[in-house]
Amino acid sequence: MFRRFRRFLTLLAIGDVLLTLAALALAVLLRRAMPWGKSLGEQGQLVLPPVYGMVALLWPVAFQVLSVYDSQLVTSVCGQVRRLTVAIPVSVFVLGGFLYFTYREVPRLLVAYFGVLDWLLLALMRVVAVVLLGGGRGGRVSAGGVFLIGGGGAGGGVGEVISREGLEA
């Protein structure tokens, strides 16, 4: 079961990077299409390839530091979305600092679109993933039963606690 969670978290991290890059590309398209903000005129690329590379490096590091990939939250949609709600703004602010010092021509409205789109896509991916994993039933998903060795006083006490909590022994 723990190996399954490890694979799940690895796939989640890969999906996060891919969907984040897709959110950035979609934000570029939306910034050109939406009538809000300053007119862009006939600018070439709004986001250059090094910015995509920076996003691909920054997001996994920030998410790891902010414990987005905590194995205790694997089956909790609320816990995962709560962590995303902290991690994505922090990552966007760090990206904004990077853009301020390197690529000032990237529109700020595009960065705002990107943050919202990234949160929506990653939250939706987590909801779908947890439902597919089987944790969306509302109950707890256990990692397996507990095997007690020894029947002394301590073993009996642990067995009583496990049975009282409704776990398998």
Side-chain angles (χ1 to χ4, degrees):
M1 185 66 128
F2 291 120
R3 180 169 289 156
R4 185 170 122 193
F5 285 161
R6 188 175 31 199
R7 272 189 253 132
F8 175 74
L9 290 172
T10 302
L11 291 174
L12 203 60
I14 292 168
D16 283 348
V17 172
L18 294 176
L19 282 177
T20 297
L21 293 174
L24 184 56
L26 188 58
V28 169
L29 293 174
L30 282 177
R31 178 60 185 99
R32 288 192 187 279
M34 296 288 214
W36 303 304
K38 276 183 7 183
S39 176
L40 296 175
E42 289 299 319
Q43 289 184 5
Q45 284 184 303
L46 289 179
V47 177
L48 297 173
V51 175
Y52 284 96
M54 183 62 192
V55 167
L57 291 174
L58 174 66
W59 255 244
V61 170
F63 279 25
Q64 193 66 41
V65 168
L66 295 168
S67 301
V68 172
Y69 304 120
D70 185 1
S71 61
Q72 292 178 348
L73 298 175
V74 169
T75 59
S76 168
V77 173
C78 292
Q80 288 191 25
V81 170
R82 198 174 319 120
R83 292 277 170 98
L84 275 181
T85 304
V86 171
I88 289 177
V90 168
S91 300
V92 169
F93 285 134
V94 172
L95 176 66
F98 169 75
L99 293 174
Y100 178 78
F101 287 113
T102 55
Y103 299 99
R104 287 190 180 187
E105 63 275 1
V106 175
R108 289 181 294 249
L109 193 54
L110 183 142
V111 175
Y113 288 163
F114 166 60
V116 170
L117 285 170
D118 192 35
W119 186 87
L120 287 172
L121 288 175
L122 296 186
L124 180 64
M125 178 182 68
R126 277 163 171 72
V127 169
V128 169
V130 168
V131 167
L132 290 178
L133 187 65
R137 293 186 290 263
R140 284 191 338 203
V141 176
S142 67
V146 176
F147 182 67
L148 297 176
I149 297 177
V158 170
E160 288 175 17
V161 169
I162 289 173
S163 64
R164 186 177 37 208
E165 295 293 324
L167 302 174
E168 291 179 31

